[in-house]
Amino acid sequence: MLELLVCPLSEKPLKYKTKTNELIEELGIAYPIIDGIPNMIPQEAKLIKKDTDTSTTPTQG
Amino acid sequence: MAASMRLLLRRVIRLSHRYNNVTAAGVSARSGCCWGPSTCRCFSDVAGDRSTHFGFETVPETEKAKRVYKVFENVAQKYDTMNDVMSLGIHRLWKDMLLHAMHPQPGARLLDVAGGTGDISFRFLEYVRSQQERQKRRTVRSMQTPSSQDISNNYFTEDEDTSQESRAVVCDINKEMLNVGRKRADSMGISAGLSWVVGNAEELPFDDDQFDIYTIAFGIRNVTHIDQALQEALRVLKPGGRFMCLEFSKVTNPVLARIYDAYSFQMIPVLGEVIAGDWKSYQYLVESIRKFPDQEEFKHMIEDAGFYCVTYNNLTSGVVALHSGFKL
């Protein structure tokens, strides 16, 4: 299933991080996986890099 | 025949006047606007903010997605039951017709957007599986008297389980709907080839040219920017891939249209309150149907997005329309 998913914003491929159960994209965006279902909504993703000003925190939609 | 129809109509109209006078007036006032072209769908106000419709309400575009999310979050648990009650089970026929029109072959990849509780994906996997079984039976029947060469060939060729290749991805913006869908899949024992993703139809988390078939059943009218969803559909489909959309549309027959309106605005919110405890969500659902473009206009929108050979079929006299287009 991972082969199909890409970041909706940049269309770059994703890597699965077992520790945090997230899908990480090259530019540092992390998409959470809840109950085995990946959440690919950009507004609910986290930015991993801390040097950027625009940081989106996970919000309950 | 005509006389009894007129009696029935008069009774229905009297009932509707007795109950919700305001709503009835609202419908007739606004339905004039609805039947017009796209001008009433989306417009900017003086301040320059884009606003759109949420049922018959006008809301800022940014609001709409949130409110739609809340509607489906509230109705998720009772969604399937309500579908059966509201459409008297006919929604199953509509979805079956979608599958028959689709006629998927084993090995096909489906993206079911706004797939929610998974109705289309389950049918897809079932259909493909029964196709395969039919093929197997055919080959067995034709191989009743195998030659020794055939027998030795069969020992070497692996019988690939092509149902592994047929894949259905259910994508929905709402986690609750997907959770309900996944529980259903587990209880029905369907898991092979089925994936679940939370995603936005306007910004799909898939690469270009990935899917053979893209379906969106009774979901596209809830999308804030329909043209963006259509463009995304075009992007993720393989060349030769097919876009299929089931959506409520305009009833062509004026007599049936009035009965349908009365049923929609009088019965459905009441049923919503009684069964799901939620009048407002079902009021939104029936209003959103009225705001959605008609068959021809939607066909033009699909063509504008870049699809070819766009056609539509009316189901149940236009209560539902099945639109189809190809990426070439």
Side-chain angles (χ1 to χ4, degrees), chain A residues 17-28:
Chain A
K17 196 169 178 191
T18 4
K19 254 189 286 175
T20 50
N21 201 28
E22 286 171 345
L23 292 168
I24 316 286
E25 185 261 358
E26 286 175 23
L27 299 175

Side-chain angles (χ1 to χ4, degrees), chain B residues 52-116:
Chain B
T52 182
H53 52 82
F54 178 77
F56 290 153
E57 256 186 88
T58 306
V59 298
E61 280 189 349
T62 41
E63 267 283 303
K64 175 156 181 177
K66 273 186 229 152
R67 294 189 65 174
V68 168
Y69 190 95
K70 278 226 180 73
V71 164
F72 284 93
E73 195 177 37
N74 291 340
V75 307
Q77 294 301 322
K78 294 280 171 65
Y79 185 73
D80 295 315
T81 316
M82 278 301 291
N83 280 348
D84 275 331
V85 172
M86 289 189 293
S87 68
L88 308 169
I90 304 176
H91 76 103
R92 293 162 188 257
L93 294 176
W94 294 328
K95 289 166 184 165
D96 289 340
M97 284 192 244
L98 171 63
L99 257 297
H100 278 279
M102 195 192 295
H103 194 51
Q105 296 305 303
R109 258 205 214 155
L110 169 74
L111 176 62
D112 183 12
V113 177

Side-chain angles (χ1 to χ4, degrees), chain B residues 239-251:
Chain B
R242 189 173 192 183
F243 167 86
M244 305 190 77
C245 175
L246 258 186
E247 189 53 82
F248 290 107
S249 201
K250 299 292 184 264
V251 175

Side-chain angles (χ1 to χ4, degrees), chain A residues 1 3-9 11 34-44 59-61, chain B residues 69 109 167 169 173 175 178-179 182 195-200 203-208 210 235:
Chain A
M1 163 64 175
E3 323 90 64
L4 285 177
L5 287 175
V6 298
C7 171
L9 299 169
E11 293 185 24
I34 305 168
D35 284 336
I37 303 182
N39 187 330
M40 308 301 297
I41 309 280
Q43 289 85 350
E44 307 208 359
T59 46
Q60 279 304 300
Chain B
Y69 190 95
R109 258 205 214 155
R167 299 200 40 191
V169 180
I173 202 168
K175 299 179 206 88
L178 289 176
N179 281 329
R182 209 157 47 131
S195 309
W196 308 85
V197 181
V198 178
N200 189 339
E203 258 182 322
L204 290 172
F206 302 105
D207 217 345
D208 303 357
Q210 290 291 316
R235 181 179 70 79

